[in-house]
């Protein structure tokens, strides 16, 4: 039976890499997929991995009817055997409903990949709707690591190297941006609570020890 599957995890856990692997494996068997993405680091209409792999995709713009797009392509003779959606956390809840309809009405597997929570530890609306509707929710087994070596469970936003906990939910950035720009870092819960990024930890390590006062 076709399924709506949500592959979730923090940044750096291989979500986009797995999406590209699924595309490769299925296309090698002669199957044709439709790939949607939103705000990929490589630019509009791209699905990319931090390993350097990239492929063309359809930009799932705000307000776009994903179900209608697929029906339109298929009615014109286009072959679609499965659907891949990367950066699914950025989709609106109604677009997630459309993906569920793709599974139920078009009998297609839909593989959605995304981050569950934002830099404030709040659920993305798209991810919340996927958790509510998905046939399966899979946590990726490749564990991202905090700078301390512990398993990373939270996404942090940084500006100028310092962690911030206020601002718009969606601001496109990456883990390799200059410190003065908006960036993101994965942290364990302990260091996310303490707002202790890798830059803050380095600064603390370089600070002179405070001598006891007698």
């Amino acid at each position: 039976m076709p399924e709506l599957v949500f592959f979730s995890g923090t940044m750096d856990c291989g979500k986009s890499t797995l999406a590209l692997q699924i595309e490769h494996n299925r296309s090698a068997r002669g199957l044709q997929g439709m790939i949607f993405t939103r705000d990929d680091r490589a630019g509009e209409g791209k699905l990319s991995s931090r390993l350097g792999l990239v492929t063309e995709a359809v930009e799932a713009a705000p307000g776009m009817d994903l179900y209608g797009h697929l029906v339109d392509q298929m009615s014109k003779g286009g072959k679609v055997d499965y659907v891949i959606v990367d950066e699914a956390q950025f989709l609106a809840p109604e677009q997630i409903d459309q993906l569920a309809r793709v599974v139920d009405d078009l009998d297609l597997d839909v593989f959605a990949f995304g981050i569950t929570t934002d830099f404030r530890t709040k659920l993305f609306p798209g991810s919340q709707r996927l958790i509510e509707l998905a046939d399966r929710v899979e946590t990726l087994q490749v564990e991202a690591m905090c700078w301390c070596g512990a398993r990373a469970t939270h996404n942090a936003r940084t500006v100028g190297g310092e962690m911030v906990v206020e601002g718009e939910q969606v601001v496109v950035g990456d883990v390799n941006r200059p410190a003065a720009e908006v960036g993101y870092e994965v942290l364990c819960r302990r260091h996310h609570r303490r707002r202790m990024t890798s830059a803050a930890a380095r600064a603390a390590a370089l600070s002179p020890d405070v001598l006891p006062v007698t």
Side-chain angles (χ1 to χ4, degrees):
M1 290 289 291
E3 290 184 308
L4 172 57
V5 186
F6 179 33
F7 294 92
S8 68
T10 62
M11 298 179 301
D12 291 344
C13 71
K15 297 182 300 299
S16 298
T17 301
L18 179 57
L20 288 161
Q21 185 67 56
I22 289 176
E23 162 64 13
H24 170 76
N25 290 351
R26 293 189 171 231
S27 62
R29 297 297 179 265
L31 301 177
Q32 181 67 48
M34 175 69 70
I35 304 175
F36 292 107
T37 190
R38 169 81 66 81
D39 294 335
D40 188 271
R41 66 183 70 83
E44 184 173 321
K46 302 289 184 182
L47 166 56
S48 67
S49 163
R50 290 193 175 93
L51 297 182
L53 304 172
V54 62
T55 192
E56 298 296 321
V58 175
E59 187 75 11
M64 179 180 181
D65 185 342
L66 306 185
Y67 178 85
H69 181 84
L70 282 162
V71 169
D72 183 61
Q73 294 297 309
M74 296 170 74
S75 66
K76 294 177 179 177
K79 182 183 179 185
V80 181
D81 297 306
Y82 60 95
V83 177
I84 290 174
V85 185
D86 198 31
E87 307 293 359
Q89 73 273 7
F90 296 144
L91 299 185
E94 55 266 26
Q95 290 176 311
I96 304 302
D97 289 336
Q98 294 160 11
L99 294 176
R101 189 180 178 193
V102 168
V103 176
D104 297 340
D105 294 357
L106 302 182
D107 291 328
L108 300 178
D109 282 315
V110 175
F111 306 102
F113 300 80
I115 296 168
T116 307
T117 58
D118 65 16
F119 69 103
R120 302 165 300 181
T121 71
K122 304 297 184 181
L123 284 169
F124 282 100
S127 297
Q128 178 177 336
R129 192 62 178 146
L130 274 165
I131 292 170
E132 293 166 348
L133 292 183
D135 297 291
R136 285 190 290 127
V137 178
E138 301 281 352
T139 301
L140 269 67
Q141 297 304 307
V142 178
E143 294 185 350
M145 296 180 67
C146 178
W147 60 264
C148 69
R151 177 174 177 265
T153 54
H154 292 68
N155 304 298
R157 178 183 293 171
T158 60
V159 176
E162 295 186 4
M163 180 175 159
V164 296
V165 293
E166 295 181 353
E168 295 183 13
Q169 186 174 51
V170 179
V171 175
V172 178
D174 206 348
V175 295
N176 297 314
R177 297 289 181 97
E181 298 183 19
V182 173
Y184 291 91
E185 182 176 348
V186 288
L187 300 172
C188 63
R189 185 183 64 242
R190 174 183 299 173
H191 288 121
H192 191 279
R193 288 179 56 246
R194 295 177 180 177
R195 303 188 189 182
M196 181 69 74
T197 64
S198 57
R202 286 195 298 270
L206 293 173
S207 299
D209 292 335
V210 178
L211 297 176
V213 178
T214 55

